[in-house]
Amino acid sequence: MDPIRSSYESDPDMLEIVCDFARELPARAARLEALLEARSYSDLQTLAHQLKGAGGGYGFAQITEAAGRLERLLKSGAPETVTKECALELCAILRAVVVPETN
């Protein structure tokens, strides 16, 4: 997967908070995987909802799109295989995010 960058990366007013958010994403990916393994679909849906909102707020449209897709699948009771595939895709996206460099 190609590296994913925030659309706000070049905005000096947003740089610090984008960096803070991006640094948290590997832990969120690990949490997603743990919830998926535990079949804790309610908590997985909550985390997907949070990521859906936060992704766009920090300039990561790919996170918002993938998290929104996962949330919709969980709400609709989609088959576990489909939900798992989508959750793992979201994890890959979270891990592909590049933390912007600060000076």
Side-chain angles (χ1 to χ4, degrees):
M1 176 169 287
D2 291 334
I4 296 173
R5 298 184 176 280
S6 169
S7 61
Y8 297 128
E9 188 172 334
S10 62
D11 183 340
D13 295 331
M14 293 289 292
L15 186 59
E16 186 176 336
I17 62 170
V18 167
C19 286
D20 290 344
F21 177 73
R23 283 186 194 105
E24 294 175 2
L25 294 178
R28 290 191 184 201
R31 176 84 175 131
L32 267 171
E33 289 171 336
L35 292 172
L36 187 62
E37 177 141 343
R39 292 187 168 118
S40 183
Y41 297 121
S42 176
D43 291 336
L44 191 61
Q45 184 176 329
T46 298
L47 183 53
H49 179 77
Q50 291 168 349
L51 287 167
K52 178 181 76 172
Y58 291 99
F60 296 101
Q62 300 96 321
I63 294 174
T64 295
E65 291 166 13
R69 203 167 36 252
L70 178 58
E71 183 183 26
R72 285 189 302 277
L73 288 170
L74 289 162
K75 280 184 178 180
S76 71
E80 188 174 329
T81 55
V82 175
T83 301
K84 182 176 182 177
E85 182 179 323
C86 186
L88 293 176
E89 177 188 339
L90 177 55
C91 288
I93 289 168
L94 296 178
R95 289 192 172 107
V97 167
V98 174
V99 178
E101 291 186 25
T102 58
N103 296 347

